Amino acid sequence: MKVLVAVKRVIDYNVKIRVKPDHSDVDLTNVKMAMNPFCEIAVEEAVRLKEKGVATEVVAVTVGPKAAQEQLRTALALGADRAIHVETEEVVESLAVAKLLEGVVNEEKPDLVILGKQAIDTDNNQTGQMLAALTGMGQGTFASEIVVEDGEIRVTREIDGGHQTVALKLPAVVTTDLRLNEPRYAKLPDIMKAKKKPLESRTPEALGVAVPAGLKRLKVETPAERKGGVKVGSVDELVDKLKNEAKVL
Amino acid sequence: MSILVLAEHHNGQLSDGTAHVVAAATAIGGNVDVLVAGESVQGVAETAATLEGVSRVRVADAAVYAHQLAEPIGDLLVRLADDYTHVLTAASTGGKNALPRLAALKGVNQISEILEVVSADTFKRPIYAGNAIATVQSDDPLKVITVRTTAFDAVARQGSASVEAIESEVTNAVSRFVDEALAQSDRPELGGARIIVSGGRGMGNGENFKLLEGIADKLGAAVGASRAAVDAGFVPNDMQVGQTGKIVAPDLYIAVGISGAIQHLAGMKDSKVIVAINKDDEAPIFQIADYGLVGDLFEILPALEQKL
């Protein structure tokens, strides 16, 4: 079966972000960018499905600026067979991305689409669900385990309070939780080989998708700073402060 | 303004989060309806009808809504949405699962995890793991919103809304419930607890979490964990507090053996009072803790339990 895996270029998760002085956005100039951690898990899972003989082809896709091709090359180095870059210079959020991915799904007809459960920049947690709804597929969100058998996929999902397992008819959409797997590192020979793998560029027009407008971002600000407090010397002092100063006990 | 709140419930009990979502709906203003979808949920509907500010509870009681799978709930919401300007639910795993389907099928953007209602079309929400707050405005005819429940105080239970059945039933041919494994606990639910005691990698192993449980029992607190503790297999993942786990804001949060990675802070930095117990006095957690105690947790925890 063919697996489509969507990846996003985001600010590296270790970077301490800065809000621009004009409050228009977070400052992304000269900041280290990387593949979204949840997307790395999605790529890893797709590659493992191929290694198990379940998947025959893994196609990586991203929506974004030219620079996002770097993350597609990373996906190729990790084991994806080919890549599709849907080029948009404007910032697109979940609904627009889901519609563009729907265009790619209509062309590629994958049996399974794997995405991360959320991007660590917008923290939306929407795209996979939206893509499933638009394409009429079932969804297995926040997956910590997947098993493909008898034309369906069993997805164990992390839910508040524990786990839930659902069975979905294929084709289906799965979004990854952190516990699904441990992504591998790309080795240098694989990075070299990835440069020769096919990477195709598409435009929203070529996919026949009218990109919807997103939410208006009026202001981005730094949250109220939390000040460090005091260090106490003993358990007695701690209990005393909690009882008499903070009054929370 | 006409607002629909999708209620959350488990095992015939209305989840506490719904009262917080109704508070957010009330802040937007207008008529507030609550939708209860599930199987054998009459009791849940009656509880929802007591929430202050709710004018009507609509009940979709059918086998197809059992376990609240996203596909049928999404389709049901699409059928009802034309009557409303806003559809809200909690930013829980259930809400995050179902609501984007409604947004996509109506062709509108979703506003995730709002912290504050600025006006009927403008909201504040966290981005970059809570390290920035964005004020966003939606021009869409329908506002589809998930609510960070810890950011809104629950409404009281003193209303008396009418309860009406919805006959319309959808079909679901794409997904099927297989089974569920829920962690058993007598302690308060993590999301709604007044006091939380959390352990990190510094706890060393799962057995040592008993030290936290003793304290939690004395305080009537819930026990949480950092991702490091969950990944190390000390405790199940539904105890995880953080960007990818639960977002909590209790009166008192006691972080034990937790260094304070930004991913963890995103889940608890809105707690009223934070206590850090850690042997490393350089740990980032001390930068946000109101009270810090540097030392060996294996000595501090038994002493603390004894003092309480």
Side-chain angles (χ1 to χ4, degrees), chain B residues 81-301:
Chain B
D82 287 342
D83 297 343
Y84 298 96
T85 55
H86 297 69
V87 177
L88 274 65
T89 197
S92 58
T93 51
K96 287 173 178 171
N97 192 29
L99 224 59
R101 291 188 69 95
L102 165 67
L105 294 171
K106 297 299 282 184
V108 301
N109 294 284
Q110 175 179 300
I111 310 158
S112 289
E113 212 144 353
I114 62 162
L115 302 169
E116 192 182 321
V117 175
V118 178
S119 71
D121 65 1
T122 306
F123 306 89
K124 289 193 178 185
R125 61 174 303 262
I127 53 175
Y128 294 91
N131 290 303
I133 307 296
T135 305
V136 294
Q137 187 177 32
S138 165
D139 295 336
D140 291 321
L142 175 72
K143 274 68 166 170
V144 176
I145 297 167
T146 63
V147 176
R148 178 173 287 187
T149 51
T150 56
F152 295 86
D153 291 330
V155 296
R157 285 196 176 178
Q158 52 186 34
S160 54
S162 63
V163 178
E164 289 172 22
I166 297 169
E167 298 305 334
S168 170
E169 205 177 306
V170 301
T171 53
N172 176 19
V174 293
S175 67
R176 175 166 63 78
F177 172 83
V178 178
D179 61 28
E180 207 162 69
L182 299 180
Q184 300 297 325
S185 173
D186 299 331
R187 295 206 179 77
E189 196 209 348
L190 203 49
R194 207 181 64 77
I195 301 177
I196 294 174
V197 188
S198 267
R201 199 193 295 276
M203 296 303 295
N205 60 47
E207 192 64 18
N208 290 335
F209 266 72
K210 288 217 171 76
L211 295 169
L212 300 183
E213 289 168 11
I215 292 170
D217 286 340
K218 287 212 162 158
L219 295 174
V223 179
S226 69
R227 189 179 164 215
V230 172
D231 282 353
F234 299 172
V235 290
N237 63 29
D238 56 288
M239 284 170 63
Q240 185 187 324
V241 172
Q243 185 189 12
T244 55
K246 289 209 178 66
I247 312 282
V248 299
D251 288 347
L252 174 60
Y253 188 91
I254 306 177
V256 184
I258 292 175
S259 63
I262 47 174
Q263 194 278 130
H264 186 75
L265 302 187
M268 47 64 82
K269 68 183 166 57
D270 293 324
S271 306
K272 216 172 274 168
V273 175
I274 297 173
V275 170
I277 298 172
N278 206 304
K279 66 177 179 207
D280 174 12
D281 70 350
E282 300 283 305
I285 190 82
F286 286 118
Q287 288 164 24
I288 64 151
D290 299 280
Y291 302 106
L293 184 51
V294 180
D296 184 356
L297 62 92
F298 297 104
E299 288 164 20
I300 292 171
L301 292 177

Side-chain angles (χ1 to χ4, degrees), chain B residues 55-100:
Chain B
S55 47
R56 180 169 64 146
V57 176
R58 306 181 74 181
V59 191
D61 200 328
V64 71
Y65 307 122
H67 307 292
Q68 297 159 75
L69 296 183
E71 296 83 0
I73 298 288
D75 288 349
L76 174 66
L77 286 170
V78 170
R79 288 197 188 182
L80 302 178
D82 287 342
D83 297 343
Y84 298 96
T85 55
H86 297 69
V87 177
L88 274 65
T89 197
S92 58
T93 51
K96 287 173 178 171
N97 192 29
L99 224 59

